[in-house]
Amino acid sequence: MTTIVRATVAHTPRDPFVEEDALEAYEDGALAYEHGRIVAVGDFTGVRSAFPDAQVRDERGAVLLPGFVDCHVHYPQIAVIGAMGLELLDWLRTRTLPEEARLADVEYARATAGEFVRALARNGTTTALVFGAHFPGAQEVLFEQAAGSGLRIASGLVVSDRNLLPELHTTPQAAYEQSKALIERWHGRGRLRYAVTPRFSVSCSEAMLEVCGGLQDEFDGLLFTSHLNENRSEIDFVAELFPWARDYLATYERYGLVHERCVLAHDVHPTDDELRRLGAARAGVAHCPSSNAFLGSGVFPMRRHLDHRVHFALGTDVGAGTGLSMFKEGLMAYHMQMAWPEGRRLGPAEILYLATAAGARALGLGRDIGDLSPGRSADFVLVRPRPESTLAAVLDRSPSVEATLGALFTLAREDAIAEVRIEGEVVA
Ligand SMILES: [Zn+2]
């Protein structure tokens, strides 16, 4: 059975930072899918005539977009969203690490994980690379809740053995054994994958980073994620801890952690040489503009990443980020670049790409999701403005789909997400 959804449709099947006309948009558009796979996208009349027997859902007035991909978000940090007035290391010490320590209680962790995955789905995020918890029990319940939700989640036990709170520390041996057990149970199960996750070099001994590299060698297809060059004090601390390292990136490189399935969050203060090496390794960067502004970390040097062909995509970085909305995150990326003399001006197509297809590519899922091309999985979001909202008033007068997209990123939030589907099935 083929289903056609009639709505305004927009997606970016090509990279708008490289190609002109990368945005494909249809005012009176349609998406057709069967058995969870997209079979056609385009103008409604064309799609309808290609599939005359299809069941048609008339969703005119709504906008259909690919499901969002959040490349960096911390599940244990929902409760610390909005902890104002602190830079990274103080924010971690006073607010965030004490909250993360509460996840030693598995029931507390289960409730947090449930709220987290539901909130992701309600925001239209169908795929996420999720920074996990420091406790194997808390990581287990995140995978359980993720499996139950149907979302595409990659995540892993966060491992650290220094410079956090003692209760968040483990040993390299325990980290290895607990990670291995979680990988064997969850990696490749349904839509779940495992990501090897040292918190950051500040909190890891060389033996711990070596364990991370060993896990990657032992198991196929694992992702790797951590933090990089977020804050000047953090970078100075890494330099003290790893006197042999020429820069922050080198602390991961030495253990074979920088590669195509690697996503490093932030990279606000990279050297040119780090950018060159990230580009050569085809590693990904999660750009988290809300968090960068909230913690006063700085402005993401987007032009320099583009110049060095470093692939990047958006992440909300909750709880330093200000919520799970990828619309809001796209707006923050726009604001930060506009407000900075060296910024790269973004348009709606580029922002949509960073919130969808770029993330899919960063997570190694570019063949399956991220845009609405035939053959891709039917992962999509229907956005419908609430009656009499400001967004409704703007969309009523929108002169083009591109203008509609600009208004969505500016005004649409959780309450405008009407429906979220993965492989054609409702998840929110
Ligand atoms: Zn983070």
Side-chain angles (χ1 to χ4, degrees):
M1 185 60 179
T2 308
T3 302
I4 293 176
V5 184
R6 182 178 193 178
T8 296
V9 175
H11 70 139
T12 50
R14 294 171 295 282
D15 180 350
F17 290 99
V18 176
E19 294 186 51
E20 304 266 314
D21 303 319
L23 180 69
E24 280 188 10
Y26 309 93
E27 182 76 51
D28 183 9
L31 180 81
Y33 62 94
E34 53 192 36
H35 307 299
R37 290 272 145 192
I38 295 167
V39 292
V41 64
D43 284 316
F44 173 71
T45 46
V47 172
R48 182 78 182 109
S49 60
F51 295 92
D53 300 326
Q55 176 200 349
V56 177
R57 285 180 55 201
D58 189 344
E59 296 288 348
R60 278 177 286 182
V63 183
L64 190 156
L65 303 173
F68 293 123
V69 180
D70 188 339
C71 287
H72 186 70
V73 56
H74 293 251
Y75 117 72
Q77 294 180 12
I78 283 281
V80 296
I81 293 173
M84 290 184 172
L86 300 161
E87 291 200 2
L88 175 67
L89 298 179
D90 287 334
W91 174 85
L92 283 170
R93 186 172 49 81
T94 62
R95 291 296 304 273
T96 304
L97 298 179
E99 174 62 22
E100 297 216 7
R102 294 186 69 188
L103 275 81
D105 175 346
V106 175
E107 288 315 311
Y108 184 75
R110 181 177 284 114
T112 305
E115 286 163 357
F116 173 78
V117 297
R118 285 192 294 277
L120 272 186
R122 279 200 303 271
N123 278 278
T125 297
T126 50
T127 300
L129 176 53
V130 176
F131 227 84
H134 285 272
F135 307 100
Q139 189 57 35
E140 180 79 19
V141 295
L142 185 269
F143 279 127
E144 281 171 19
Q145 296 288 326
S149 73
L151 299 179
R152 297 181 195 278
I153 300 286
S155 186
L157 180 71
V158 182
V159 297
S160 290
D161 60 351
R162 58 175 166 174
N163 296 323
L164 300 178
L165 301 176
E167 55 267 47
L168 297 177
H169 294 162
T170 183
T171 63
Q173 184 63 27
Y176 170 76
E177 286 163 10
Q178 293 164 350
S179 300
K180 183 174 186 311
L182 286 161
I183 292 165
E184 287 170 343
R185 197 144 57 244
W186 295 104
H187 180 58
R189 183 160 153 188
R191 295 170 184 150
L192 306 179
R193 291 185 298 162
Y194 197 88
V196 174
T197 311
R199 186 168 196 110
F200 56 168
S201 292
V202 166
S203 67
C204 293
S205 66
E206 302 195 23
M208 186 62 90
L209 292 171
E210 204 171 335
V211 159
C212 293
L215 285 166
Q216 289 194 149
D217 293 341
E218 189 173 342
F219 296 95
D220 282 340
L222 302 183
L223 284 89
F224 173 77
T225 193
S226 195
H227 296 93
L228 178 70
N229 292 325
E230 178 174 4
N231 164 293
R232 300 254 184 226
S233 307
E234 171 213 22
I235 295 167
D236 291 345
F237 201 175
V238 170
E240 269 174 47
L241 293 167
F242 298 86
W244 52 261
R246 58 174 153 163
D247 48 39
Y248 196 156
L249 185 65
T251 63
Y252 298 127
E253 283 172 327
R254 171 171 286 199
Y255 301 97
L257 301 170
V258 182
H259 47 66
E260 226 170 329
R261 282 169 288 103
C262 156
V263 178
L264 293 164
H266 303 301
D267 207 28
V268 173
H269 306 286
T271 65
D272 281 341
D273 198 50
E274 285 176 301
L275 288 169
R276 184 187 58 71
R277 281 143 52 206
L278 283 167
R282 303 174 64 87
V285 167
H287 168 36
C288 309
S290 295
S291 165
N292 297 158
F294 195 86
L295 296 179
S297 301
V299 183
F300 180 69
M302 191 176 286
R303 281 183 190 282
R304 290 174 60 215
H305 281 74
L306 289 166
D307 290 346
H308 288 86
R309 297 178 198 282
V310 180
H311 184 65
F312 57 92
L314 286 175
T316 60
D317 195 26
V318 158
T322 54
L324 295 168
S325 171
M326 292 294 285
F327 282 133
K328 178 234 38 177
E329 206 58 46
L331 178 67
M332 275 306 295
Y334 175 82
H335 278 157
M336 296 282 277
Q337 296 298 315
M338 281 300 277
W340 187 41
E342 293 159 53
R344 166 70 156 77
R345 291 198 173 195
L346 297 172
E350 286 148 338
I351 298 172
L352 179 64
Y353 172 77
L354 290 176
T356 57
R361 185 176 140 195
L363 303 190
L365 299 174
R367 283 193 194 146
D368 207 38
I369 60 160
D371 67 57
L372 304 172
S373 302
R376 301 265 196 266
S377 177
D379 290 20
F380 63 89
V381 177
L382 272 177
V383 190
R384 183 180 287 283
R386 290 166 82 93
E388 298 179 25
S389 62
T390 311
L391 178 61
V394 176
L395 295 196
D396 271 352
R397 294 162 180 76
S398 176
S400 68
V401 181
E402 198 176 8
T404 292
L405 263 184
L408 289 183
F409 278 103
T410 307
L411 286 167
R413 296 293 179 264
E414 190 171 331
D415 63 357
I417 304 286
E419 187 178 288
V420 183
R421 286 179 185 261
I422 295 181
E423 293 180 36
E425 300 293 328
V426 170
V427 293

